[in-house]
Amino acid sequence: MILLVLALLSGTPSFASRDTFYPPLNHTTFITNTSLGTYGGIYSAPADHASPVGDVYNYCSMPHPNEDTYSLPPLVANHSVAARLIYLEYLQRHQRRTPYNILPGGENQDYNCDSIYPHLYAAPVAQGIPPAEVYGRAYSDPSNPFLATYVNGSCQYPQLTIGGLLDGYQHGRDLRAVYGDQLGLIPASPDKKVWFRSSSSALTQGSAGGVLRGIFPEHSGPIPLHQQASGIDTVDRGFPCSARDALLSSIQSTAEWNEHLSVTEQLRTRLSTMFNATDSWTSTFDHFADNFQARLCNGYELPCRVQDENDCVTTDQANEVFRAGDWEWNYWWRTNPNATQYIQLVEGLFIGEIVRKLEAVQQHRSDLVYSHNFVHDGDIGPILGALGIRSLRWPGMASNIAIEIWETSESRLYARVLYSGSTIETIHGTLDWVPLSALISILKPFIPDDIISMCN
């Protein structure tokens, strides 16, 4: 009943909950079929409190493992196999935020971030003078001449919102309930058996603060959040690679890509006229989708022209933008002929890091039981592509991949991969109970042999 109500509210037909994760994205008719609406997905969230935890595609706050929906592997649940969880590799996108992309013609609504303090300070490791707990307080100066074509308010762009922080706290509480209280894997406080990693972005670091507080509610003191140097980071496209951009240009020159531009030409022309957008905004749907999603996910309305408050983006137009965005992500990471090489160039080094941790578990030489990575949609997408996800929608806020490693009473190791709380459906089948060696074999082809040579 709840799913049906959500579908009706979004103007879409009713879909089984997991079907919202696997739409038919192999043809551009998915983009142009207005009757699909959001394909059962959700693109709205309350501004100042946590999003409801569900099991359908929710761009604002994707589902995650929680005690109400989590289930044991079927063979373990029905006692056909005696096994225990010994390792969890968890990856997630940051929580919801303000937009990266401000409309070229300016924004008709103010953005307010007064309810969240982005703290900015450093402290010595040893005892010393404690720092003042400084936080960034953004403001708009009316005398700034660039404000007329920007956005008024008290936010940085992008930045974590209060709703995103509260979502993160709930996300962490749910992980504690499943992997700590129920399965006994996550320790009561952070120790040498856990490892936390983020990109160099304030978005992933702020999200980690909320999630880790939910996981360790009684812990006091700092928690190390490992990061690589931003200039060579293996996540978030941190390292330089000219071949990466050249290959993307080739991918976005194919007949299939041009067909999707052709069927959306009317929409792209209309939006570019409304908001003075150039080709950099209309060559993909990344910019408009990001702007619309960030508004709807934080309690704002779809945008209107600054010069005409009656000339606004409609729900149908926004839904077509979102469907086109889904199509593009599926094409980039799953269906284009160069997808494997593109994943290698973008995410291959990080996939290699993950595989080495899995191999350490396989070889019984790992001291870790839980590794949590706070990254971006541009990291989650290619990893899902490498896993062979059957259909890839744009990975929403806090979208997550849980790689569970189970050991049987016969000391055999099996893997289960959950995507946003449920076992992932892939071209290799449902990854619900596969030998760990098989999962490693699926991922290994996406690890580059020589990334320096490939990039040059």
Side-chain angles (χ1 to χ4, degrees):
M1 177 60 73
I2 293 174
L3 176 61
L4 179 58
V5 170
L6 291 174
L8 291 174
L9 288 174
S10 61
T12 68
S14 177
F15 294 94
S17 60
R18 297 310 299 175
D19 284 348
T20 66
F21 279 73
Y22 302 100
L25 288 170
N26 291 333
H27 197 276
T28 57
T29 52
F30 176 80
I31 303 173
T32 56
N33 186 351
T34 58
S35 69
L36 293 177
T38 63
Y39 200 78
I42 299 171
Y43 290 86
S44 62
D48 56 359
H49 55 274
S51 303
V53 178
D55 63 349
V56 300
Y57 177 92
N58 182 342
Y59 184 89
C60 305
S61 184
M62 295 288 271
H64 54 255
N66 69 87
E67 58 184 343
D68 292 331
T69 60
Y70 183 85
S71 58
L72 295 171
L75 292 178
V76 177
N78 66 20
H79 305 292
S80 297
V81 172
R84 63 187 181 96
L85 183 67
I86 63 167
Y87 183 77
L88 174 66
E89 184 74 26
Y90 197 83
L91 308 96
Q92 72 158 100
R93 187 187 181 189
H94 54 75
Q95 310 290 151
R96 54 187 159 121
R97 51 156 174 76
T98 59
Y100 273 91
N101 299 283
I102 301 302
L103 294 168
E107 299 279 344
N108 66 300
Q109 299 174 72
D110 296 355
Y111 273 88
N112 176 20
C113 293
D114 292 337
S115 53
I116 185 170
Y117 291 163
H119 283 271
L120 307 163
Y121 62 92
V125 174
Q127 290 184 348
I129 300 173
E133 296 186 359
V134 180
Y135 64 90
R137 185 70 177 266
Y139 74 102
S140 296
D141 188 326
S143 68
N144 188 329
F146 294 99
L147 188 59
T149 55
Y150 199 59
V151 51
N152 202 1
S154 56
C155 298
Q156 294 287 356
Y157 307 97
Q159 77 161 79
L160 198 69
T161 59
I162 185 62
L165 180 64
L166 296 175
D167 284 351
Y169 176 62
Q170 183 62 50
H171 196 146
R173 290 183 64 193
D174 289 336
L175 292 180
R176 158 61 57 188
V178 171
Y179 293 111
D181 301 340
Q182 180 178 338
L183 295 175
L185 184 72
I186 299 178
S189 60
D191 57 21
K192 293 182 179 180
K193 293 182 179 181
V194 301
W195 167 272
F196 304 114
R197 156 94 146 99
S198 79
S199 73
S200 58
S201 166
L203 282 171
T204 55
Q205 295 163 17
S207 297
V211 173
L212 294 179
R213 174 50 67 211
I215 294 175
F216 303 112
E218 305 301 326
H219 177 73
S220 61
I223 300 174
L225 185 63
H226 298 87
Q227 300 151 21
Q228 296 184 7
S230 59
I232 55 170
D233 202 346
T234 54
V235 298
D236 199 24
R237 299 176 185 250
F239 59 90
C241 185
S242 58
R244 187 171 54 208
D245 295 333
L247 182 57
L248 177 59
S249 179
S250 176
I251 290 170
Q252 294 179 176
S253 300
T254 62
E256 293 84 358
W257 185 269
N258 288 331
E259 179 186 347
H260 114 282
L261 292 179
S262 177
V263 301
T264 57
E265 182 176 3
Q266 182 177 354
L267 174 64
R268 291 184 296 109
T269 299
R270 173 71 180 124
L271 294 176
S272 65
T273 300
M274 289 177 69
F275 301 113
N276 303 325
T278 61
D279 288 347
S280 65
W281 269 69
T282 59
S283 59
T284 76
F285 279 91
D286 179 83
H287 292 71
F288 281 117
D290 166 70
N291 185 275
F292 300 170
Q293 291 155 351
R295 283 170 167 266
L296 298 176
C297 287
N298 290 288
Y300 295 92
E301 303 293 330
L302 289 168
C304 305
R305 287 184 64 198
V306 173
Q307 299 83 0
D308 183 357
E309 287 288 322
N310 295 315
D311 190 8
C312 304
V313 174
T314 68
T315 299
D316 285 345
Q317 289 171 333
N319 287 344
E320 185 173 345
V321 167
F322 300 152
R323 293 194 305 273
D326 286 346
W327 185 94
E328 289 178 348
W329 277 77
N330 194 61
Y331 190 71
W332 285 326
W333 306 117
R334 282 289 299 116
T335 60
N336 90 79
N338 294 307
T340 296
Q341 185 182 358
Y342 191 44
I343 292 171
Q344 289 174 338
L345 291 172
V346 172
E347 208 69 17
L349 291 182
F350 186 52
I351 293 173
E353 294 172 18
I354 294 170
V355 166
R356 283 190 290 276
K357 284 188 281 186
L358 298 180
E359 288 177 330
V361 175
Q362 184 184 46
Q363 296 160 12
H364 302 286
R365 55 180 178 81
S366 175
D367 295 326
L368 297 178
V369 299
Y370 170 42
S371 169
H372 194 135
N373 307 272
F374 298 87
V375 289
H376 301 261
D377 53 353
D379 301 301
I380 298 294
I383 293 172
L384 292 172
L387 288 167
I389 190 170
R390 180 161 62 81
S391 182
L392 175 61
R393 299 186 78 166
W394 193 324
M397 299 296 172
S399 52
N400 50 91
I401 302 169
I403 301 175
E404 301 177 352
I405 307 302
W406 293 76
E407 184 176 35
T408 70
S409 56
E410 293 84 15
S411 299
R412 295 174 180 169
L413 298 180
Y414 288 86
R416 181 168 73 149
V417 183
L418 308 181
Y419 175 46
S420 290
S422 294
T423 48
I424 187 171
E425 299 177 20
T426 79
I427 59 174
H428 311 287
T430 301
L431 301 184
D432 198 21
W433 191 256
V434 299
L436 176 55
S437 58
L439 177 62
I440 291 173
S441 295
I442 289 172
L443 292 174
K444 271 195 168 181
F446 298 91
I447 304 172
D449 294 327
D450 184 350
I451 192 65
I452 301 296
S453 297
M454 287 184 68
C455 283
N456 293 332

